[in-house]
């Protein structure tokens, strides 16, 4: 009878040791208004149940996750993630269901065996989860794809019959009609499986055909509706319910004070600004302002990034076993590890605060909610431009030598000009080690971007891309033109690959490039 499983909500026992912090709205706006959009989804019991199941399944698949924390702020899985408000909502639902059950009992008692009965339906609290009932009734006036119209009345002329005497067949003839019905199934939506009835000379009775037609219509609408829902959840609200739940938990735990808004919506990530809160762990300070990078769980954009991670030996063993959603988490994880390496080398970059699934919280580069401008957006004096260039050159060298990394997406788009004096590097989820099968090509591309930007910006001292490549890598490739240079790079990569194939493990084939630094991985 009960449309929603009664046992779905977590037992109240789990609600006991919840956080003592007051619930806060993660969007930083007035409690009621902003939360109403997300709460409807976030607090749905169905969703919570699914999330719970998934969390269990995924924590089983990621047993090593607790050990990945390496920075001073990374707390792995240890923040309290229970939410008082959510549990309260769940308890309320539980209560409402009991209330309804009682109502039903009373209704039954009241009506007894009486032929005229009174319904208490309007007083019920719980309504079926995402009921499709209204859509299941097919509106027969709707003739968008009316199969009847497509059918030209060629087999039966206007008069309603063909043939003569006892050979006469009317339009009501069972065989003709059945065949016609079978043929009309062709008009159903293409994804609707109708089998090979036509080839079999199947004859569908009107009754069966009408039932099928009705079903086909409602399926079509249902999928259109589901599709629309999905679109809305990704495009309009920027983050899906799961992500909202994660963010909500961060605010509710007190770790973040408020999430003020979105700084950037890229193809692969959405970045939010937040004011930092507190942890109850000593010697851990949350930066006063944070950037939250949410790696998009819509998968399409990540397809072309396969090559970065697939060939990265640090992730090689895990790649093949993972589903796309887990791969996206690996991007976030990769960004965390790379930022930590950079931090340790003293390169100006965001400091990792915490990683939760596909959500990375880091320190905010900027002030009062205004992110530091990208190099591409600032107009620098020629003196500052020159200073910036030398900083970038130095950072590229540090990145290569001390962090054993190649940025792989370095350009004026991913360098921020902070406090009017320092270049900060961001966006390192795709960074790889130089021994990555395409690592040197990525480095060469980075060098091209950097040297073009600064040469165009009037820095006469700026090395050209080949000189810069050698200055960063110490590889001393002598080719004096782009094509030959590229060829030598690829030859080096191939040499390294062959070496790996032969020896089964990654050993740097490059002179002057010692063992990769140990970074807790
Ligand atoms: P994407 O992969 O979408 O390019 P980025 O890491 O480059 O992701 O972030 C997108 C934008 O968000 C950046 O260009 C920058 O403006 C802003 N941003 C990202 N991280 C921070 C941060 N830690 N502090 C300030 N702004 C940031
Ligand atoms: Mn970027």
């Amino acid at each position: 009878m009960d449309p929603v499983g009664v046992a779905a909500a977590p037992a109240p026992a789990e609600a006991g040791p919840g956080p003592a912090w007051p619930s806060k709205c993660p969007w930083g706006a007035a409690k009621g208004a902003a939360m109403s959009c997300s709460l409807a989804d976030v607090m749905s019991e169905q969703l919570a149940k699914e999330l719970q199941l998934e969390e269990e399944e995924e924590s089983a698949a990621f047993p090593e996750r607790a050990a990945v924390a390496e920075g001073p702020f990374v707390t792995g899985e240890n923040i309290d993630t229970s939410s008082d408000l959510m549990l309260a909502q769940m308890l309320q639902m539980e209560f409402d269901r009991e209330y309804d059950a009682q109502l039903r009992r009373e209704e039954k008692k009241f009506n007894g065996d009486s032929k005229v009965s009174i319904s208490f339906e309007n007083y019920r609290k719980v309504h079926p989860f995402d009921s499709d009932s209204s859509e299941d009734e097919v509106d027969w006036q709707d003739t968008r794809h009316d199969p009847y119209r497509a059918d030209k009345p060629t087999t039966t002329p206007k008069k309603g019959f063909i043939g003569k005497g006892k050979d006469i067949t009317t339009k009501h003839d069972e065989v003709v009609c059945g065949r016609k019905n079978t043929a009309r199934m062709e008009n159903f939506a293409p994804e609707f499986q109708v089998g090979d009835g036509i080839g079999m000379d199947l004859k569908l009775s009107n009754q069966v055909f009408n039932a099928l037609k009705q079903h086909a219509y409602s399926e079509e609408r249902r999928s259109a509706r589901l599709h629309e829902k999905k679109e809305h959840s990704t495009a309009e609200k920027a983050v899906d319910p799961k992500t909202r739940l994660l963010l909500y938990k961060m605010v509710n735990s007190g770790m973040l004070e408020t999430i003020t808004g979105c700084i950037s919506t890229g193809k692969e990530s959405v970045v939010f600004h937040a004011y930092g809160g507190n942890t109850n762990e000593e010697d851990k300070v949350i930066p006063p302002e944070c950037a939250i990078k949410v790696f998009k769980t819509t998968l399409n954009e990540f397809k072309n990034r396969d090559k970065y991670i697939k060939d990265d030996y640090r992730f090689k063993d895990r790649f093949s076993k993972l589903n796309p959603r887990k791969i996206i988490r690996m991007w976030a994880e990769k960004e965390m590890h790379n930022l930590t390496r950079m931090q340790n080398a003293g390169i100006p970059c965001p400091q990792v605060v915490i990683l939760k699934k596909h959500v990375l919280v880091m320190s905010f580069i900027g002030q009062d909610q205004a992110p530091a401008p990208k190099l591409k957006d600032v107009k620098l004096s020629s003196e500052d431009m020159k200073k910036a260039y030398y900083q970038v050159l130095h950072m590229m060298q540090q990145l290569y030598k001390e962090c054993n990394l190649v940025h792989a997406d370095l350009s004026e788009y991913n360098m921020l000009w902070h406090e009017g004096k320092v270049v900060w590097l961001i966006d390192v989820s795709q960074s790889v080690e130089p021994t990555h099968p395409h690592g040197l090509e990525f480095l060469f591309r980075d060098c091209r971007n950097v040297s073009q930007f600064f040469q165009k910006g009037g820095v006469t001292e700026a090395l050209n891309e080949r000189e810069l490549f050698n200055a960063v890598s110490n590889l001393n490739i002598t080719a004096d033109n782009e094509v030959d240079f590229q060829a030598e790079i690829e030859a080096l990569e191939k040499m390294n690959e062959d070496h790996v194939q032969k020896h089964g493990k990654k050993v740097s084939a490059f002179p002057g490039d010692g063992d990769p630094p140990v970074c807790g991985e």
Side-chain angles (χ1 to χ4, degrees):
M1 285 293 282
D2 202 337
V4 199
V6 174
E14 283 176 44
W21 299 287
S23 316
K24 288 175 204 146
C25 167
W27 306 109
K31 262 181 199 179
M35 281 314 292
S36 61
C37 81
S38 60
L39 271 181
D41 293 358
V42 167
M43 300 315 158
S44 98
E45 187 180 340
Q46 178 110 354
L47 181 70
K49 200 169 131 191
E50 284 168 14
L51 288 170
Q52 190 71 32
L53 275 175
E54 212 160 281
E55 214 155 87
E56 281 161 17
E57 167 211 317
E58 281 170 5
S59 61
F62 264 71
E64 76 277 40
R65 280 180 52 78
V68 300
E70 50 175 50
F73 293 106
V74 184
T75 49
E77 292 291 334
N78 58 6
I79 63 159
D80 193 334
T81 55
S82 52
S83 146
D84 284 345
L85 185 53
M86 184 169 73
L87 289 169
Q89 297 266 348
M90 287 174 165
L91 284 171
Q92 182 67 48
M93 289 174 88
E94 191 80 11
F95 177 83
D96 288 347
R97 258 195 314 276
E98 264 167 41
Y99 176 88
D100 288 351
Q102 178 65 19
L103 206 64
R104 244 177 267 126
R105 280 194 292 276
E106 271 174 35
E107 188 182 349
K108 211 167 155 194
K109 204 169 128 197
F110 185 90
N111 290 325
D113 296 332
S114 164
K115 279 201 176 127
V116 184
S117 64
I118 288 173
S119 168
F120 289 8
E121 188 66 21
N122 288 346
Y123 299 100
R124 279 168 45 116
K125 299 241 184 194
V126 176
H127 302 281
F129 178 72
D130 192 23
S131 167
D132 285 342
S133 54
S134 64
E135 294 289 331
D136 283 340
E137 297 150 22
V138 169
D139 176 8
W140 287 97
Q141 302 307 312
D142 182 348
T143 48
R144 274 178 312 162
H145 304 291
D146 192 348
Y148 293 101
R149 208 173 10 177
D151 229 319
K152 292 190 203 93
T154 44
T155 45
T156 319
K158 259 211 173 101
K159 57 190 176 183
F161 60 91
I162 41 172
K164 272 183 187 167
K166 62 177 168 45
D167 293 330
I168 201 163
T169 22
T170 76
K171 63 181 172 183
H172 300 297
D173 180 84
E174 238 178 281
V175 176
V176 171
C177 202
R179 284 200 187 118
K180 244 159 89 181
N181 282 340
T182 305
R184 283 173 184 151
M185 287 200 304
E186 290 276 271
N187 294 322
F188 292 159
E191 64 273 21
F192 189 79
Q193 295 295 325
V194 292
D196 188 25
I198 295 157
M200 285 159 51
D201 193 25
L202 185 75
K203 292 163 218 68
L204 282 183
S205 76
N206 283 347
Q207 201 190 353
V208 172
F209 174 74
N210 282 336
L212 270 175
K213 180 182 160 185
Q214 190 155 347
H215 180 65
Y217 275 18
S218 60
E219 277 300 297
E220 206 177 312
R221 289 180 192 200
R222 199 179 131 85
S223 70
R225 213 171 49 250
L226 284 176
H227 182 71
E228 197 178 272
K229 264 190 199 166
K230 264 191 210 149
E231 290 284 283
H232 278 260
S233 72
T234 48
E236 259 180 37
K237 293 180 202 145
V239 293
D240 58 9
K242 274 187 209 187
T243 310
R244 266 178 284 161
L245 186 60
L246 272 175
L247 297 179
Y248 174 73
K249 285 171 172 177
M250 286 177 184
V251 173
N252 205 33
S253 74
M255 197 192 84
L256 296 179
E257 180 69 34
T258 45
I259 297 171
T260 57
C262 179
I263 311 169
S264 146
T265 324
K267 271 198 308 193
E268 291 143 5
S269 72
V270 184
V271 181
F272 296 97
H273 172 275
Y275 284 108
N278 304 294
T279 57
N280 50 353
E281 287 163 69
E282 275 174 32
D283 67 86
K284 266 175 197 167
V285 183
I286 310 277
E289 292 185 72
C290 296
I292 307 171
K293 186 166 178 177
V294 176
F295 288 76
K296 280 201 182 169
T297 46
T298 41
L299 307 169
N300 293 344
E301 286 76 20
F302 277 91
K303 278 195 192 127
N304 57 357
R305 296 183 88 187
D306 266 15
K307 68 170 186 284
Y308 290 93
I309 209 162
K310 206 164 62 193
D311 298 329
D312 189 329
Y313 74 92
R314 294 179 292 166
F315 296 87
K316 209 161 199 162
D317 292 340
R318 289 161 62 189
F319 188 84
S320 57
K321 301 179 200 113
L322 298 174
N323 67 33
R325 197 143 29 80
K326 287 180 182 151
I327 289 170
I328 283 161
R329 281 198 201 173
M330 259 159 75
W331 285 107
E333 207 180 300
K334 223 159 119 58
E335 177 133 28
M336 178 192 73
H337 285 303
N338 293 340
L339 282 175
T340 308
R341 282 190 191 190
M342 290 160 71
Q343 194 78 43
N344 291 342
I347 296 174
C349 70
Q351 186 155 28
V352 174
V353 177
I354 197 171
L355 171 74
K356 276 274 168 191
K357 300 188 175 177
H358 58 290
V359 175
L360 180 67
V361 183
M362 57 190 143
S363 62
F364 180 71
I365 314 304
Q367 210 184 351
D368 299 332
Q369 300 187 38
K374 300 177 186 110
L375 271 191
K376 89 162 183 48
D377 291 328
V378 273
K379 192 92 197 76
L380 295 184
S381 67
S382 55
E383 200 183 321
D384 279 345
M385 197 70 169
K386 192 169 138 184
K387 264 203 304 204
Y389 168 71
Y390 281 108
Q391 287 179 26
V392 173
L393 171 61
H394 183 57
M395 283 194 283
M396 288 179 83
Q397 289 171 330
Q398 280 181 296
L399 198 60
Y400 190 92
K401 296 193 176 84
E402 294 170 45
C403 306
N404 200 39
L405 285 175
V406 168
H407 188 291
D409 191 17
L410 192 63
S411 73
E412 58 274 26
Y413 288 80
N414 286 326
M415 295 189 269
L416 305 184
W417 182 245
H418 190 29
E419 292 170 330
K421 56 181 180 211
V422 183
V423 178
W424 291 59
L425 291 190
I426 59 162
D427 201 1
V428 291
S429 62
Q430 72 293 315
S431 302
V432 295
E433 301 198 343
T435 49
H436 180 286
H438 303 288
L440 296 182
E441 289 165 79
F442 296 151
L443 177 62
F444 191 41
R445 195 177 57 192
D446 286 354
C447 291
R448 194 180 302 134
N449 292 337
V450 167
S451 93
Q452 274 174 10
F453 175 76
F454 286 103
Q455 280 178 346
K456 273 189 196 148
V459 181
T460 45
E461 295 88 341
L463 301 172
N464 72 35
E465 62 219 45
R466 297 184 300 278
E467 293 163 340
L468 185 56
F469 181 94
N470 285 337
V472 170
S473 67
N474 280 343
L475 282 171
N476 300 318
I477 295 178
T478 49
D480 61 356
N481 66 79
E482 170 111 24
V483 176
D484 292 346
F485 204 92
Q486 184 86 31
E488 279 199 49
I489 284 174
E490 281 165 31
L492 274 174
E493 285 176 341
K494 180 142 195 330
M495 207 168 84
N496 187 55
E497 249 332 83
D498 293 345
H499 192 87
V500 173
Q501 298 291 331
K502 257 221 283 301
H503 297 272
K505 67 175 178 161
K506 210 91 186 174
V507 178
S508 176
F510 312 124
D513 182 38
D515 286 337
V518 182
C519 283
E521 281 169 79

